[in-house]
């Protein structure tokens, strides 16, 4: 947002606050469950975020002030639980037994209750004013265009629709296998873990925590949820909506804290499973601390390979632009590296990508603040890449201008840096080139027919295998690339993309036994339940049973 626009925005907000009629009409459009109005939150009218534990909303002795990513004003105060205040959360989790709040043999009516809660929540979230409320609230804390924010809310709403009626109990479908003799039958059940924890990052303030939270609940677990404090206001409001839709107050705890306090809580409360979504650095620390009782959705260094068949250049350049730069590149599925077959060099693809990237502007948040990488870090990374022989800036490479984004955040133009493939593969260069920059930044390279092995070697050597796209309709090419790669969510074909997985696509990494998933019934079952086999063996004994010899 330019200084001008930012001032205009603030002036408009101030005028609105002065006018009681306008104020009233804003609040009339605020849903009944809500305690904030997205447009009203400002430095002079800050919002407050609370914690929820043992069935009650509670504050904390400590407020953590969150600054508005667009102008640096302190605009949200989060009641952050300190290390000395975690006792109620530890006690609350400890109350839940390992067999969970429900399971196929205990309190099965709760599967139906969650079907009803999902029905009501899907209906409420589907109301235009509620969709708009959450889209705008997401935009305030994790700035992205209105369309991108709305899509996040719509995906969440569709997910809830998917688990209406009997769909929650179908998640816990069991099976039976005939035994060796009469009365024997083995039954496989989906069993909950009981007390569990969910930790989520800033970039999808609603979709990631909501989908994981509901999945955990559907399968019979009791979760404590921690969302990055920068954006936790969104889930705080969603939990209020869920309570309105019948979510039992004791089923979910919601904590705001820093990472150190959450780490302490995990060690003391000993949840039987933790779902972590965030950086690989924290993921690895928690995996060690929790001795493997964890599932991970961590960093993404996502690649796209353009195959030899050049076609639909306008469409593909648009998909590349969306994949690399929508949400200012802050999607874990964002296109981090583009491998372009040489046949594309004369297609005009790179020029088109450049032109599309130049349409992005702060005013509509098609480019905006980067919440975890500063401008200086992005410049430093780019300069390090430019030391590699043959590398060059294709477009971007400069800070955004005329804005009031605070320095703790990044403000960078959509950027593409070309690095030659043979250089990428050199030891020393490889780590640098494949470092995830969680911002509007991608590396582009080119390969010839004979170099496909080198491309696949690069993909093999990467550590994160989240999303990928193979853009080609050449079936043999697709078969070769897909058969020699592992990414968990891979799009293949001329319309392939790396981002935008909706609730009906499994989303998660592959190639790691700790890898989690989100969205689909398979993801819910894998992450939030374990297999339990009960072998019924009720007899009767054979009439002529006699004691056998010792074995
Ligand atoms: N794979 C996926 O599905 C997915 C989705 C979104 C984001 N991401 C990744 O997340 C990263 C961006 O998010 P970030 O930089 O905010 O991640 P982060 O790891 O810094 O933080 C994620 C969450 O972990 C908490 N946390 C930090 N230290 C902790 C500790 N010691 N114990 C417990 N909790 C702790 C944070 O407060 C936050 O809520 C990127 O690497 C991105 O690729 C992955």
């Amino acid at each position: 947002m330019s200084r001008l626009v930012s001032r205009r925005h603030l002036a408009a907000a101030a005028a609105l606050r002065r006018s009681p009629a306008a104020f009233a009409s804003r609040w009339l459009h605020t849903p009944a469950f809500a305690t904030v109005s997205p447009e009203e939150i400002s430095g002079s009218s800050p919002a407050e975020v609370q914690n929820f534990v043992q069935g009650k909303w509670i504050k904390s002795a400590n407020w953590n002030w969150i600054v508005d990513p667009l102008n640096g004003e302190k605009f949200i105060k989060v009641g952050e639980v300190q290390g000395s205040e975690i006792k109620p959360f530890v006690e609350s989790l400890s109350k839940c037994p390992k067999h969970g709040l429900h399971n196929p043999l205990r309190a099965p009516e709760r599967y139906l209750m969650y079907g009803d809660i999902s029905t009501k929540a899907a209906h409420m979230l589907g109301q235009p004013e509620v969709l708009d409320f959450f889209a705008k609230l997401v935009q305030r804390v994790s700035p992205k265009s209105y369309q991108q924010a709305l899509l996040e809310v719509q995906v969440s709403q569709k997910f809830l629709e998917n688990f209406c009626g009997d769909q929650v109990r179908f998640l816990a479908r069991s099976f039976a296998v005939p035994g060796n003799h009469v009365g024997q039958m083995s039954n496989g059940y989906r069993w909950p873990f009981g007390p569990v924890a969910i930790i989520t990052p800033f970039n999808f303030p609603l979709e990631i925590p909501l989908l994981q939270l509901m999945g955990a609940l559907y399968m019979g677990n009791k979760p404590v949820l921690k969302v990055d404090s920068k954006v936790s206001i969104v889930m705080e409001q969603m939990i209020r909506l869920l309570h309105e839709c019948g979510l039992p107050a004791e089923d979910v705890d919601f904590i705001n804290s820093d990472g150190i306090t959450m780490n302490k809580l995990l060690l003391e409360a000993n949840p039987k499973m933790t779902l972590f979504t965030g950086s690989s650095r924290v993921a690895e620390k928690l995996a060690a601390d929790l001795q493997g009782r964890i599932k991970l959705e961590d960093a993404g260094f996502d690649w796209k390979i353009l195959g030899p068949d050049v076609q639909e250049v306008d469409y593909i350049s648009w998909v590349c632009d969306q994949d690399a730069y929508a949400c200012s590149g802050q999607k874990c599925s964002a296109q981090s590296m583009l491998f372009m077959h040489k046949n594309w060099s004369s297609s005009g693809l790179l020029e088109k990508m450049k032109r599309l990237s130049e349409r992005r502007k702060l005013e509509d948040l098609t480019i905006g603040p980067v919440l975890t990488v500063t401008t200086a870090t992005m410049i430093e990374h780019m300069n390090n890449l430019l030391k590699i022989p043959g590398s060059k800036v294709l477009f971007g490479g400069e800070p955004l201008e005329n804005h009031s984004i605070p320095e703790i955040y990044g403000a960078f133009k959509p950027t593409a840096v070309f690095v030659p493939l043979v250089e990428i593969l050199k030891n020393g260069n490889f780590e640098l080139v494949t470092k995830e920059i969680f911002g509007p930044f991608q590396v582009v390279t080119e390969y010839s027919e004979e170099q496909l092995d080198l491309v696949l070697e690069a993909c093999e050597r990467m550590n994160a295998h989240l999303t990928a796209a193979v853009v080609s309709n050449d079936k043999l090419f697709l078969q070769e690339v897909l058969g020699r790669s592992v990414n968990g969510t891979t799009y293949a074909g001329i319309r392939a993309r790396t981002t935008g997985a909706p609730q009906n696509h499994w989303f998660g990494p592959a190639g790691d036994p700790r890898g989690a998933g989100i969205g689909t019934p398979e993801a819910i079952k894998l992450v939030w339940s374990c297999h339990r086999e009960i072998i019924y063996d009720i007899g009767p004994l054979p009439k002529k049973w006699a004691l056998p010899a010792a074995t």
Side-chain angles (χ1 to χ4, degrees), residues 382-422:
M382 179 181 71
N383 288 338
N384 286 336
L385 289 178
L386 292 176
K387 286 183 196 145
I388 298 174
S391 59
K392 60 182 177 200
V393 174
L394 292 172
F395 52 85
E398 291 167 359
L400 295 178
E401 290 146 5
N402 302 323
H403 64 79
S404 43
I405 296 170
E407 258 182 38
I408 52 162
Y409 296 144
F412 209 54
K413 290 186 181 167
T415 296
V417 174
F418 180 87
V419 184
L421 180 59
V422 283

Side-chain angles (χ1 to χ4, degrees), residues 132-252:
D132 184 63
F133 168 84
F134 277 107
K136 287 187 174 142
L137 197 55
V138 166
Q139 274 195 303
R140 290 303 306 269
V141 289
S142 182
K144 44 181 102 171
S145 69
Y146 186 77
Q147 277 82 355
Q148 288 288 328
L150 185 64
L151 207 62
E152 177 175 348
V153 187
Q154 285 168 331
V155 164
S156 307
Q157 195 270 342
K158 276 273 162 234
F159 169 89
L160 291 168
E161 272 182 7
N162 281 351
F163 297 99
C164 293
D166 286 325
Q167 298 308 319
V168 174
R169 77 162 123 201
F170 286 147
L171 285 172
R173 186 192 296 269
S174 48
F175 65 83
V177 178
N180 288 352
H181 46 251
V182 71
Q184 191 187 62
M185 172 87 78
S186 59
N187 291 257
Y189 293 102
R190 295 315 302 173
W191 216 253
F193 295 101
V196 298
I198 302 170
I199 302 171
T200 61
F202 73 89
N203 62 337
F204 285 92
L206 182 69
E207 184 182 338
I208 297 178
L210 179 68
L211 269 55
Q212 293 294 11
L213 180 75
M214 296 314 288
L217 290 165
Y218 292 157
M219 299 313 290
N221 304 288
K222 168 168 176 148
V224 55
L225 171 67
K226 179 223 178 311
V227 182
D228 191 312
S229 294
K230 290 195 276 299
V231 303
S232 60
I233 191 168
V234 178
M235 265 319 277
E236 197 240 38
Q237 296 295 301
M238 177 48 78
I239 288 173
R240 294 177 191 276
L241 179 151
L242 291 171
H243 284 153
E244 286 246 332
C245 296
L247 172 73
E250 300 73 30
D251 280 17
V252 176

Side-chain angles (χ1 to χ4, degrees), residues 97-117:
K98 286 180 201 163
H99 59 253
L101 300 175
H102 60 266
N103 63 50
L105 302 184
R106 236 181 122 78
E109 62 281 0
R110 284 176 47 98
Y111 292 110
L112 309 191
M113 177 186 79
Y114 272 103
D116 287 347
I117 294 169

Side-chain angles (χ1 to χ4, degrees), residues 199-200 203 226 228 259 263 276-279 282 297-298 300 332 436:
I199 302 171
T200 61
N203 62 337
K226 179 223 178 311
D228 191 312
N263 211 142
F276 175 79
T277 309
S279 64
V282 178
E297 296 256 23
D298 57 346
C332 42
E436 184 195 36

Side-chain angles (χ1 to χ4, degrees), residues 448-465:
S448 61
E449 207 75 33
E450 314 75 59
Q451 286 179 314
L452 182 61
D453 277 352
L454 299 184
V455 172
L456 294 171
E457 183 194 327
C459 300
E460 170 79 14
R461 277 170 63 187
M462 289 173 197
N463 289 322
H465 301 293

